[in-house]
Amino acid sequence: MNSINRIQKALPLLGAWLCCFSAAVSALELRINAGGSAFTDSAGKVWLADTGFNTGRKSNVSGVQIAGTSDDILYQTQRWDPSAAPDLTYSLAVTNGNYRVNLHFAETYSGAFGNGLRLFDVYLEDSLQFNNLDIFSAAGGGNRALVVSANNIAVADGKLDIRFSQEVENPTISAIEIISVASIQDTTPPTVPKNFTATADSSSINLSWGASTDDSGFVAGYRIYRDGSQIGSTTTTKYTDSGLASNTSYSYSVRAFDNAPTANLSSPANLSISTLPAVATSGTVIKRINVGGSAFTDSAGNLWLADSGYNTGRIATKSTANILGTTDDLIYQTQRWDVKALPELDYGFNLPNGQYSIRLHFAETYSGNAGVGLRVFNILTENQLAISNLDIFSEAGGINRALVRTIDQVAVTDGQLNIQFQHKTENPTLAAIEIISESSTSIDYTFNSTDLSDWSFVNDSGVTANWSVTNGKLLQSVDTGNQSFGSPMIQSSKVGTFAALTRNIGMNNYQVSADITPRRDSTNRDFFDGQDIGLMFRYQDINNYYRISFNSRESYTRLEKRINGAFTTLAVNSRGYREEQTYKLLVLASGSTIQVSLDNKVLFAVYDKDLSGGSIALYCQDKAEFDNVTIKAPSISPMISIERPLAYSVLTGDQVQAAAVALNAPAGSYVEFDFSGAACGNAQETPAGSGHFITNCGSFSQGDYDQVGLGMAAYLYSATHVLLASDEHLRVGVQGDQYLAVGDSITLGSFDLFAEDNLSQDGRIIGQQGYHAHLNDLLTASEQYPSIIFNTGVGGDRTTHTLNRIDSILTRHSDANRVLLMLGTNDANGSTPLTSATYLSNMQKLVNKAVNKGMSVWVAQIPPSLPYTNFGSVNQRKRDYNNGLNQLTNVQPGPDFYNFFYDDNGTTTTSDDYDRWSMFFDNLHPNALGQQVMAELWHNALTGANNQPFFLDRLCNRLESADCSAISPTKHKQTYLASGYRYYYVDKTYEVVTVPNVLANGIWIQTANNELNNTATQYLSFTVDRPVTVYVAYSAGASSLPNWLSNFSNTGSTLTTNDPLTPTLRLYSRNYNAGAVNLGGNLASGAVGAKSNYVVIVKQR
Amino acid sequence: MKMNFILGWIIALSAVLSHAEPTIDYADAEAVINEYFTALEQGDTQSLLQLMGPEEQANSDFLKTDPGYSSWLVNHYQGANFKITKRSRQNDFIAFDVLIDIGGDENVQERIILKSTSSNGTGPYKIIRRIEL
């Protein structure tokens, strides 16, 4: 154990001291018990009585136990200096040479029990060795032994001067020990540090250990090693290693060293520990502040905001400082420090109440505080002490070293997060702040309170929206996209209203999810339901953001970006939504990768670099609800998502090209693609390092690739060929047709209120109106290869409007090969109708635009306005238009809707013509049945088929035309009824409540309830071209049926309604062959007691 | 003294009125509609275009490119009866539903939407869209 081999041959001390040495004391060592008497310590060393000083007083706390030593007496007596001048100085005569000086202290004055209450400097040979020494702080409390040591102090004037200079309170010294360096042959190392432990978060590891001992009496310090390399040293028993990678294992060693000239190192204490996954502890960073500096983006792409939220302090800049432990020196080169204790530096941030973590970044960059204990301060969060006695230099292990301290589970209950920095020694300083939401590592909005202060509401369409918290959801209730009141269209992109989250401006990489519910404006559908609803993300301002939106009027889902006001579509399919249904929408934005999932299934994945950060916004055009908005850090798991071909898509050629984006892929990983079970070509990462992989899979035969394992598959493998993630897109059609339906509100399907037939059987189309889903089914069935139709109709469009938007339509659907064009209704109408020449010129221009893109164009003859007696000149224009369409070049003839709905009997007179107005909702727009008929006629035109659509012809109300010879004799309608539109009379708003399954897909004749008292034997008639079953729903409250109904059978089924007079209708049926069907009046002979008119439903047999 | 009292009331009343919600004044916008009617009747295609905002102008290019359109308008609207049937306002938009009876059973029903071109939304107004009703 004798580490110091005392050698007598070394230089003697001065004779004044020689007289006093005992035989056991080496002449090469000098020990003084300051303020006390001579004594021999427990190790047998002799300490001289206090001597060699110039001033000061003695103190003695005999009986007080001193921790950290077995020689309490040495510390119970002290010499302290109450006067400012001269400084207490010990001048000890020694032979010239180099000496180690050990100074012993203990804070025994209870009035100085506290950090910073006694501070003084120590000079050796007039050289500052210990600046602002704080005994209490350095010893870890009162009545605790502290030894500080200085090596190789050179003496050239025959005396060694030790001077104590006041800073705060009075200097004091317990004992002095001087040892000639030449005499030291210490080869015994300190003991191994005990109880070496560590704690970790995602980016730093805190090491601590028990103190070592050394035969010299004290340990000089500890060296810390990470993975075999020294990363720092400290004189304390803890060390923080910052700036580490998350979820990574590290090995650490700590070795004590002593004061021998060539420091003896203890054996190492070792441990291994992993940093935590980033998401597990860091949640979502909702704010990053570059304290004392400007906004900047760090090496990981994170945006740091300029310094804000402080109440006081000054800025310190060390722009050339090379900061160890970080790749982002800039964060640490600017700091805010606080010279005054009143008020203390306090950062305040308005945040929703909840749990947060705070990451604080520090570095000691001021050389004047480059020492242990020279800058010490406390940190309080929400007025609670969170970090006490933070000593940046000590914990970081030196100057210009990054130190990150995390304060977890800070509860904010007053809407503001406060972080206060409290003076202890010198001035608090801070380099950066990160605030992390800890609420299940996410920010959540469940709208259980009416507080919407985090949201900003924007009316992008010019129509004022109405956002409110209603029934625990965020509700927007105004139709802001209704064009009938001027809502603008930006080419074919939409604008409406949105609620932007204002507090998360600093976010870059995150995933946001929300429950979205497109609502009807009222119980029943209105004509403008089905407009956009979605999410905006990386929202920077009204002209710059990404947006995912769903629309059921035109039936699409689009991922778009808006850059400087201009929209670009990144991905689109033909699938909208079902009203009143709640969808879980999730967007993951990480780096240049964007992934969109709907109801937990990845929908789109794209690689785009335009916007790297921004907040989120909830977007809609019409009534919509939003709930459970959650924002959190993106998953760190490796994943891969196919970018193209999309699921539910159709490729028009035989070549299949694939692309996918990989996220969180470890170094060396790679991607493979399969299509139809066959391997594609080698995938290239484009650009390198992007995670965006593309390849060509080759040529494939015509068909729909919709079987699991035979679709488009992408696999992400590790460098060692371990499968990390995969994705598959099914229902990819090859060598199919991709149609664009271009037109106005008739193409759009306005007033088609029967949504059930707007879901194509192959799943490619989800809409609520229009002919395109039904046509898609007809084409798929007849052509035996896949088709897809995008409905791009826009209500109110004239050819002039469409000419202004056609380029954006063709760009958005660049793979389309066919166009179904039907325009002219609005050109022929209004106060300034187009002449035929202008109309036809516009149509030819539209055709040419598509043909120049390599598309084939079919042009339909536009339907008439009905009843035509009211629209003579308009219909004349339409006839002129239609006649001219035959002269267009590069077109193929589409269906003749004019003559179909006009029902011209072919004679030269019009008085014997009929019409099919009963399939119109109003004067212009085919209703649900009319749209199905249009699909059939389009199908005939496209395929050459000659299928007759099913409808009730010559529908006649004999109250208006006794012999059914008049033009438009009926106000009755024929259509389909659907959820959300269940009116069964043309003149009442009574609705059917329950309908037996047997009536599914039947055509309903909406009669007039005010004709309930009709007693004629012939009231209603129509013809059919095929065998049918006619169902009559007659008042169940009637005591007797009309005689004409006696030929019908009672089915035993009933319909229920909300008609208070007739809540139940009993269902009677009769089969008819092709030909005429004549039905009598509601109260015709035999009938008694029916208080409401009957309704008719017809089904094919 | 009595005069001062009355003057004070007048000033106070003016202050109250000046802070009241502004009532919708359709006069300026309605004047545009009447000019529009006149231009239709007279076949004044130049004036029709001048009453329109840029987007509607862009969609009505035929008014200046079709040399026969002026005479067509004169013929079409000869003896027509022009009427505003409804007017409404939302934000900066003012909408007039118009009925133009051109004789027989025929008529034109159209919604003409105008928007103020001034920053405070009080006019002058331009036609930004016409929609068939």
Side-chain angles (χ1 to χ4, degrees), chain A residues 131-132 364 366-372 374-375 393 399 426-427:
Chain A
N131 185 32
N132 280 321
E364 185 54 78
Y366 173 49
S367 60
N369 285 337
V372 173
L374 302 187
R375 186 200 300 271
F393 181 91
I399 194 169
E426 250 273 355
N427 303 309

Side-chain angles (χ1 to χ4, degrees), chain A residues 142 234 240 267 385 432 461 493 514 534 544 603 739 891 909 1014 1081:
Chain A
T234 180
T240 299
S267 295
L385 182 63
S461 72
S493 293
N544 294 281
L603 196 62
Y739 293 86
V891 301
T909 60
N1014 186 280

Side-chain angles (χ1 to χ4, degrees), chain A residues 559-602:
Chain A
L559 176 60
E560 298 165 291
K561 62 179 173 183
R562 192 179 197 186
I563 305 296
N564 298 324
F567 283 99
T568 302
T569 300
L570 300 172
V572 60
N573 66 24
S574 192
R575 291 159 59 89
Y577 57 74
R578 311 304 293 159
E579 288 178 314
E580 303 291 326
Q581 183 172 320
T582 298
Y583 296 89
K584 172 71 78 178
L585 184 59
L586 186 147
V587 172
L588 189 158
S590 180
S592 298
T593 298
I594 296 167
Q595 185 191 80
V596 179
S597 299
L598 183 67
D599 290 340
N600 300 314
K601 172 65 181 168
V602 175

Side-chain angles (χ1 to χ4, degrees), chain A residues 462-464 483-486 795 798 800-801 804 829-835 838 869-874 877, chain B residues 36 40 59 62 66 69 72 76-77 88-91 93 95 100 105-106 108 110-111 113 129-132:
Chain A
V463 176
T464 302
Q483 275 184 279
S484 67
F485 220 105
R798 288 180 162 193
T800 47
H801 296 97
N804 289 333
N829 274 311
S831 56
T832 56
L834 268 61
T835 63
T838 302
T869 50
N870 293 349
F871 298 94
S873 61
V874 170
R877 275 192 293 279
Chain B
Y36 183 76
L40 287 176
N59 290 319
F62 61 95
D66 186 345
Y69 203 77
W72 183 88
H76 189 66
Y77 288 112
S88 52
R89 179 171 191 160
Q90 187 168 355
N91 301 318
F93 304 111
I100 309 175
D105 293 331
E106 287 199 58
V108 173
E110 196 168 47
R111 174 169 293 172
I113 301 169
R129 195 157 176 89
R130 294 168 294 165
I131 300 169
E132 176 75 12

Side-chain angles (χ1 to χ4, degrees), chain A residues 37-48:
Chain A
S37 307
F39 93 107
T40 301
D41 65 21
S42 56
K45 300 173 195 170
V46 175
W47 297 76
L48 302 179

Side-chain angles (χ1 to χ4, degrees), chain A residues 471-711:
Chain A
N471 298 325
K473 300 177 192 301
L474 181 59
L475 173 69
Q476 197 292 116
S477 58
V478 171
D479 182 357
T480 66
N482 187 339
Q483 275 184 279
S484 67
F485 220 105
S487 180
M489 307 289 291
I490 299 176
Q491 296 184 336
S492 293
S493 293
K494 307 297 174 62
V495 291
T497 178
F498 57 85
L501 187 59
T502 57
R503 56 173 273 219
N504 292 309
I505 297 301
M507 294 189 297
N508 296 322
N509 299 328
Y510 55 82
Q511 62 186 49
V512 53
S513 62
D515 294 344
I516 62 171
T517 310
R519 299 295 314 275
R520 293 189 182 116
D521 288 324
S522 58
T523 304
N524 289 303
R525 278 187 55 194
D526 76 18
F527 310 132
F528 293 96
D529 282 341
Q531 299 182 77
D532 272 11
I533 182 171
L535 270 177
M536 293 150 65
F537 52 100
R538 287 185 171 170
Y539 167 79
Q540 298 181 351
D541 56 47
I542 195 168
N543 287 314
N544 294 281
Y545 52 80
Y546 291 103
R547 185 175 72 184
I548 178 74
S549 58
F550 300 81
N551 184 304
S552 231
R553 298 188 84 207
E554 292 153 62
S555 66
Y556 62 68
T557 303
R558 285 181 190 164
L559 176 60
E560 298 165 291
K561 62 179 173 183
R562 192 179 197 186
I563 305 296
N564 298 324
F567 283 99
T568 302
T569 300
L570 300 172
V572 60
N573 66 24
S574 192
R575 291 159 59 89
Y577 57 74
R578 311 304 293 159
E579 288 178 314
E580 303 291 326
Q581 183 172 320
T582 298
Y583 296 89
K584 172 71 78 178
L585 184 59
L586 186 147
V587 172
L588 189 158
S590 180
S592 298
T593 298
I594 296 167
Q595 185 191 80
V596 179
S597 299
L598 183 67
D599 290 340
N600 300 314
K601 172 65 181 168
V602 175
L603 196 62
F604 298 141
V606 300
Y607 176 79
D608 190 84
K609 299 173 70 173
D610 271 347
L611 298 173
S612 61
S615 188
I616 65 124
L618 310 172
Y619 160 69
C620 63
Q621 289 186 295
D622 200 354
K623 188 174 182 179
E625 279 180 352
F626 300 87
D627 199 7
N628 299 321
V629 178
T630 298
I631 307 157
K632 60 183 180 180
S635 168
I636 61 168
S637 301
M639 62 179 79
I640 187 154
S641 306
I642 296 171
E643 181 182 56
R644 66 176 187 271
L646 293 174
Y648 300 103
S649 65
V650 173
L651 306 175
T652 55
D654 65 337
Q655 294 293 315
V656 176
Q657 295 181 330
V661 291
L663 272 172
N664 309 314
S669 34
Y670 62 96
V671 170
E672 290 183 352
F673 290 94
D674 285 356
F675 187 66
S676 188
C680 300
N682 290 336
Q684 303 297 315
E685 192 173 17
T686 308
S690 64
H692 182 232
F693 293 84
I694 61 174
T695 190
N696 193 333
C697 299
S699 174
F700 289 85
S701 58
Q702 189 176 55
D704 208 354
Y705 295 78
D706 58 351
Q707 300 298 310
V708 174
L710 297 177

